[in-house]
């Protein structure tokens, strides 16, 4: 729901507002909503064992029997100067070939990149080979530090989500908002079962904040959070990428709503720290935030989901500030502090600053005796 600006706020803006708006056109296409399936292509795994010494021959025979029992093609040869462990793959049509090269040391252990197996580690070896058959050379996403993505894949996702939002999604339902974002077809959005249920219960809700200045990733994260949802990039068994949506509470590492600053606070948002003349008497907090956003050029966005859970009504909180000079940072901090809210200056994927206003949650320190 959009909010009109009362006369006193309008007059306030005439003195302070400096703003500009650019409207971009984009084609509308809603991403496919499908669940990930098993590996859609047939995968074979082959192993080459590099022996370091002649004493490794016995171990090579033993490992050869183990791999053959696991239905894995294996061959052995002496290591040469430029040989090193590797995991590579080649995809041809619907067939994927994963090629492993491991060094067999004098103690009978095999060294692969990031993995080492003794003969007693047969269970771990089977688990790793099954991951390779399902996900290919990159292995299971669960074993990767950044949402299961390689550096190249993360860069691809980040660059797509760093594009400016082509249209303002304010006032749209969530699905309509996702359509307006015009995400690439190679980055589909998938809602899990619990996310679908939550969305169905709030199907008529519309996106409240004005997000037109922000990047696609931040817009998507904020819009989802209003519905109590979050997303993270995910790699499917076929190697494709998607944005997986689930309830906020179930995400241990959601795509963040705002990133840490690259530069100092003053350099990132100088107008946020400039002194301005202010005098307000019983002005609703939501109107203050709207006016501050327009006048400072820095979006001030509220966490509607958490604020609603706390039973805080931004339209009923009245802000009074005597005639004085202050900064936007101090003004907003004083306006929200009494009601258990907090704010943070962050940037979107393009480096654009905004203020994220949410519920203050104190850190719990361990109990000492």
């Amino acid at each position: 729901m959009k909010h009109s600006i009362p006369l006193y706020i309008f007059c306030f803006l005439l003195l302070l507002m400096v703003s500009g708006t650019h409207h971009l056109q984009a084609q509308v296409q809603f991403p496919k909503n499908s669940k990930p399936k098993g590996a859609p292509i047939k995968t074979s795994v082959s192993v080459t064992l590099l022996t370091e010494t002649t004493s490794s021959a016995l171990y090579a025979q033993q490992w050869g029997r183990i791999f053959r029992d696991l239905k894995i093609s294996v061959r052995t040869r002496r290591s040469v100067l430029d040989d090193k462990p590797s995991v590579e793959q080649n995809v041809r049509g619907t067939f994927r070939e994963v090629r492993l090269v491991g060094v067999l040391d004098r103690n009978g252990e095999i060294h692969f990149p990031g993995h080492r197996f003794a003969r007693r580690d047969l269970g771990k070896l089977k688990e790793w080979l099954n991951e390779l058959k399902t996900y290919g050379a990159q292995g299971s996403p669960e074993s990767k530090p950044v949402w299961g993505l390689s550096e190249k894949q993360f860069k691809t996702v980040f660059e797509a989500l760093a594009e400016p939002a082509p249209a303002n999604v304010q006032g749209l339902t969530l699905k309509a908002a996702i359509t307006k974002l015009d995400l690439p077809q190679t980055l589909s959005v998938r809602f899990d079962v619990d996310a679908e249920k939550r969305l169905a219960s709030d199907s008529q809700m519309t996106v409240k904040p004005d997000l037109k200045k922000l990047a696609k990733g931040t817009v998507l994260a904020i819009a989802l959070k209003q519905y109590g949802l979050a997303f993270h990039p995910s790699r499917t068994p076929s190697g494709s990428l998607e944005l997986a949506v689930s309830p906020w509470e179930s995400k241990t590492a959601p795509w963040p709503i705002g990133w840490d600053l690259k530069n100092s606070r003053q350099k990132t948002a100088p107008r946020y720290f400039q002194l301005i003349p202010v005098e307000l008497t019983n002005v609703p907090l939501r109107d203050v935030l709207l006016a501050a956003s327009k006048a400072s050029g820095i979006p001030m966005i509220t966490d509607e989901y958490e604020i609603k859970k706390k039973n805080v009504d931004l339209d009923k909180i009245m802000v009074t500030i005597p005639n004085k000079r202050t900064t936007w940072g101090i003004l907003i901090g004083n306006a929200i502090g009494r009601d258990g809210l907090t704010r943070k200056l962050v940037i979107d994927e393009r480096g654009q600053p905004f203020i994220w206003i949410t519920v203050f949650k104190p850190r719990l320190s361990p109990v000492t005796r």
Side-chain angles (χ1 to χ4, degrees), residues 201-347:
S201 66
D202 293 320
S203 59
Q204 300 305 311
M205 184 191 298
T206 59
V207 178
K208 274 192 173 185
D210 184 347
L211 306 173
K212 62 177 177 291
K213 291 185 177 182
L214 300 176
K216 291 181 179 181
T218 294
V219 172
L220 179 59
I222 293 173
L224 286 171
K225 182 63 186 295
Q226 184 178 322
Y227 291 75
L229 302 172
F231 81 92
H232 74 272
S234 177
R235 174 166 52 86
T236 68
S238 67
S240 63
L241 299 173
E242 66 179 12
L243 303 181
V245 179
S246 57
W248 174 267
E249 294 81 3
S250 68
K251 290 284 189 187
T252 57
W255 190 268
I257 298 178
W259 301 75
D260 290 337
L261 306 184
K262 297 179 180 179
N263 301 308
S264 68
R265 291 161 54 86
Q266 286 75 12
K267 190 172 183 179
T268 300
R271 294 173 63 184
Y272 187 62
F273 300 98
Q274 288 179 346
L275 286 172
I276 54 170
V278 175
E279 183 176 9
L280 299 174
T281 303
N282 289 333
V283 180
L285 177 56
R286 193 180 294 277
D287 289 339
V288 172
L289 296 175
L290 176 63
S293 296
K294 292 184 177 296
S296 68
I298 304 172
M300 301 191 186
I301 303 167
T302 53
D303 186 346
E304 299 292 337
Y305 178 69
E306 299 291 351
I307 291 174
K308 182 178 179 181
K309 285 173 59 178
K310 190 175 173 61
N311 294 319
V312 174
D313 189 340
L314 300 181
D315 294 306
K316 292 183 178 179
I317 298 175
M318 297 299 165
V319 179
T320 297
I321 299 176
N323 186 3
K324 66 177 181 178
R325 292 175 63 83
T326 187
T327 68
W328 290 117
I330 295 174
L331 187 155
I332 299 304
N334 291 339
I336 68 175
R338 294 188 303 273
D339 295 278
L341 305 180
T342 186
R343 87 284 193 212
K344 185 178 181 182
L345 173 61
V346 290
I347 56 175

Side-chain angles (χ1 to χ4, degrees), residues 57-76:
L58 178 61
Y59 296 128
Q61 292 178 9
Q62 294 171 344
W63 276 111
R65 288 193 295 270
I66 290 174
F67 281 113
R68 283 190 289 271
D69 289 343
L70 296 174
K71 310 300 182 183
I72 300 295
S73 172
V74 59
R75 69 188 184 98
T76 305

